[in-house]
């Protein structure tokens, strides 16, 4: 006999499936890649965005930004952001933000005596977990507030080896694994940016395991006008036009950088001859 239980709660289960947002601005994003590409400028062109600039000496950018000098200042600025009408915060770079958080948390747990988990001896593994969990909670707070974030990082080449011993090189973010895990688990898009023959390139998918880039497979976006998946596409060298180009690519309006239009079939032409002159 089935046992039934009456639950008293103000919560309710959904009656319809979730409808994914249709705009790029509704999603969390990670963008990493070459220095001087324009990552900070592009990330800050999203509507309602504030840039938390953790990289030193970045005053030459014409963007809305703050420059937290301590993890306490970063927390205060984050609270101001959560209470504001702004929609997105850029962590630039997430590398330096995580390092600042790690040092601060280690000092907090050791009365200011230690700055790295390796200094805690046998407790080091537990400290790593505390740092990782507390860092993730920052971004969970942003999500629960109905706001979005962009993570910015640089890139590096990493040697990898598969089960058969075959080695290959892959481009990955420079941030620590704990920060990269947020990019993997909380970001719907991971973009890699680079230069190719003088052109700015953005990769949105990794089709040959050479670059860490990804799109949410549940969203019909970053396709070319013919419905094929984009891997990478060109963006203008003028930084102010980059965001609109990325938006066009999201809306399936741009062809891949390696796209070659099909050759048109040659039409057979019938040559007309002049009638030969009648012989006399």
């Amino acid at each position: 006999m089935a046992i039934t239980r009456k639950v008293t709660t103000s919560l309710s289960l959904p009656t319809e499936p979730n409808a994914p947002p249709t705009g790029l601005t509704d999603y969390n994003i990670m963008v990493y890649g070459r220095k001087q590409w324009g990552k900070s400028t592009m990330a800050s062109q999203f509507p309602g965005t504030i840039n938390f600039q953790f990289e030193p000496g970045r005053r030459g950018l014409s963007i809305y930004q703050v420059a937290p000098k301590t993890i306490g200042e970063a927390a205060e600025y984050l609270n101001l952001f959560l209470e504001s009408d702004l929609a997105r915060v850029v962590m630039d770079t997430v590398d330096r933000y995580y390092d600042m958080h790690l040092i601060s948390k280690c000092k907090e747990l050791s009365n200011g005596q230690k700055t790295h988990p390796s200094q805690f001896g046998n407790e080091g593994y537990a400290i790593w977990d505390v740092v990782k969990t507390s860092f993730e909670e920052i971004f969970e707070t942003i999500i629960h507030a109905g706001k979005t974030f962009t993570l910015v990082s640089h890139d590096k080449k990493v040697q990898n080896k598969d089960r058969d011993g075959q080695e290959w090189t892959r481009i990955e973010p420079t941030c620590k694994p704990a920060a990269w895990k947020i990019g993997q688990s909380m970001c719907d898009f991971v973009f890699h940016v680079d230069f190719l023959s003088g052109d700015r390139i953005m990769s949105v998918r990794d089709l040959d395991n050479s670059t860490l880039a990804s799109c949410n497979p549940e969203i019909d976006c970053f396709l070319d006008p013919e419905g094929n998946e984009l891997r990478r596409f060109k963006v203008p060298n003028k930084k102010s036009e980059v965001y609109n180009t990325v938006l066009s690519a999201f809306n399936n309006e741009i062809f891949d950088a390696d796209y070659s239009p099909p050759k048109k079939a040659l039409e057979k032409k019938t040559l007309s001859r002049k009638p030969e002159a009648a012989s006399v």
Side-chain angles (χ1 to χ4, degrees), residues 68-119:
K69 298 180 180 62
T70 65
I71 203 66
E73 282 190 7
E76 288 187 43
Y77 279 128
L78 185 60
N79 286 333
L80 290 173
F81 163 72
L82 294 174
E83 295 171 0
S84 72
D85 294 330
L86 295 170
R88 178 178 294 268
V89 59
V90 179
M91 301 303 183
D92 192 357
T93 60
V94 69
D95 307 47
R96 296 185 69 90
Y97 185 27
Y98 176 80
D99 291 343
M100 184 185 292
H101 178 81
L102 182 147
I103 293 172
S104 176
K105 184 59 66 174
C106 288
K107 285 184 176 181
E108 176 188 327
L109 297 172
S110 64
N111 294 320
Q113 300 300 309
K114 300 171 183 178
T115 59
H116 195 273
S118 62
Q119 299 171 342

Side-chain angles (χ1 to χ4, degrees), residues 184-238:
Q184 290 177 301
S185 62
M186 298 187 188
C187 292
D188 296 281
F189 301 99
V190 177
F191 303 146
H192 175 252
V193 297
D194 205 345
F195 294 97
L196 180 65
S197 301
D199 293 318
R200 281 185 168 82
I201 295 291
M202 174 175 284
S203 297
V204 295
R205 287 184 177 88
D206 179 13
L207 301 183
D208 56 8
N209 210 24
S210 63
T211 306
L212 284 176
S214 63
C215 289
N216 188 326
E218 301 299 322
I219 309 169
D220 291 329
C221 60
F222 289 109
L223 308 174
D224 70 14
E226 296 177 355
N228 304 305
E229 290 185 344
L230 288 181
R231 178 195 174 193
R232 59 185 184 179
F233 57 91
K234 295 180 182 180
V235 299
N237 286 327
K238 191 174 182 179

Side-chain angles (χ1 to χ4, degrees), residues 46-77:
F46 281 69
T49 292
I50 183 73
N51 185 295
F52 281 24
Q53 186 55 248
F54 296 97
E55 294 277 310
R58 301 304 300 275
R59 296 182 179 180
L61 300 175
S62 181
I63 60 177
Y64 290 98
Q65 67 176 5
V66 294
K69 298 180 180 62
T70 65
I71 203 66
E73 282 190 7
E76 288 187 43
Y77 279 128

Side-chain angles (χ1 to χ4, degrees), residues 137-155:
E137 288 174 351
I138 296 172
F139 297 93
E140 290 172 353
T141 300
I142 296 172
I143 293 173
H144 293 157
K147 296 177 183 285
T148 55
F149 59 82
T150 299
L151 309 180
V152 176
S153 184
H154 303 303
D155 65 359

Side-chain angles (χ1 to χ4, degrees), residues 221-226 230 244-256:
C221 60
F222 289 109
L223 308 174
D224 70 14
E226 296 177 355
L230 288 181
N244 286 333
T245 302
V246 175
L247 198 59
S248 295
F250 175 83
N251 292 327
N252 308 330
E253 299 169 357
I254 288 180
F255 283 100
D256 197 278

